[in-house]
Amino acid sequence: MEKWKEYRLIEVLDALIDYRGKTPKKTSSGVPLITAKIIKNGRIETPTEFISVDDYDSWMVRGFPKVGDVVLTTEAPLGEVAQLDDANIALAQRVVTLRGKSDVLDNTYLKYYFLSNVGHQRLKARETGTTVTGIKQSELREVIVDVPPYEVQVGIAEVLKSFDDKIEVNRRINDNLEQQA
């Protein structure tokens, strides 16, 4: 049986897309903008900000996200993480997109790794700042990730995702019941 290995994050990524330092012109409709404030508790809440469809290609020059990519907040707050279920989104500043190398790092496993105490603490150990803490891309690249064999990652991710899916169904049922009441 293969053992788990420790890697620097950059060693197991195919893509790290970073839009820090850029602020898009926002509109009332168009392509949903994924901002740090809507990434919470492992999921992306309904976007309330957008960029123009006409501005999309000129804005997304640093790379295009894909379904399944992991989004991670880099400050205010640091370490909120979720996974994209739609590629037709724009990334705001303070959010990076991570994509694991095929057959090396499963994206869903990576999401749950950063949601875990160990993953979150390893991220926080590299933060800087006093009033608002954050992580520089150079430090993010060096975060240590515990990586089991790929098949084990997929199994871990499937189990945890099934729990999250059930929680989401129950949350929607509760919302519906509250609206009916």
Side-chain angles (χ1 to χ4, degrees):
M1 180 176 192
E2 275 187 71
K3 297 195 185 248
W4 290 38
K5 297 178 183 173
E6 289 185 346
Y7 291 97
R8 294 171 27 247
L9 182 60
I10 196 61
E11 294 176 316
V12 289
L13 289 182
D14 260 346
L16 192 163
I17 305 170
D18 189 346
Y19 279 84
R20 282 183 284 186
K22 290 184 72 178
T23 303
K25 181 181 176 192
K26 297 172 186 167
T27 59
S28 59
S29 65
V31 179
L33 186 64
I34 304 300
T35 63
K37 62 186 169 191
I38 66 168
I39 301 171
K40 295 179 182 174
N41 303 316
R43 58 190 203 94
I44 299 171
E45 295 181 350
T46 304
T48 57
E49 298 176 287
F50 304 86
I51 68 169
S52 164
V53 172
D54 296 336
D55 292 341
Y56 183 72
D57 287 336
S58 62
W59 171 251
M60 298 297 290
V61 294
R62 295 183 184 176
F64 291 93
K66 294 181 179 179
V67 170
D69 284 354
V70 174
V71 288
L72 175 76
T73 60
T74 58
E75 67 180 55
L78 169 63
E80 289 289 340
V81 64
Q83 202 166 5
L84 296 175
D85 58 6
D86 188 353
N88 186 34
I89 55 98
L91 299 170
Q93 58 182 333
R94 299 190 343 235
V95 176
V96 296
T97 301
L98 309 171
R99 184 177 309 135
K101 286 184 180 176
S102 180
D103 296 325
V104 175
L105 181 63
D106 179 73
N107 287 338
T108 306
Y109 170 82
L110 181 61
K111 170 188 148 182
Y112 288 112
Y113 179 77
F114 282 126
L115 284 170
S116 76
N117 287 334
V118 170
H120 195 73
Q121 288 307 313
R122 286 192 175 161
L123 190 64
K124 299 282 279 176
R126 293 194 164 271
E127 72 183 332
T128 58
T130 51
T131 305
V132 176
T133 61
I135 191 166
K136 298 175 184 170
Q137 188 184 122
S138 60
E139 290 296 319
L140 177 61
R141 292 168 173 262
E142 299 301 318
V143 170
I144 298 299
V145 180
D146 297 320
V147 181
Y150 189 77
E151 299 76 27
V152 174
Q153 294 174 51
V154 170
I156 291 169
E158 284 175 355
V159 169
L160 294 174
K161 186 172 182 335
S162 70
F163 286 125
D164 276 350
D165 290 348
K166 182 63 176 163
I167 290 167
E168 180 61 19
V169 166
N170 288 340
R171 187 188 67 76
R172 288 182 183 167
I173 290 170
N174 287 340
D175 287 350
N176 186 24
L177 292 171
E178 285 178 10
Q179 288 176 2
Q180 289 179 27

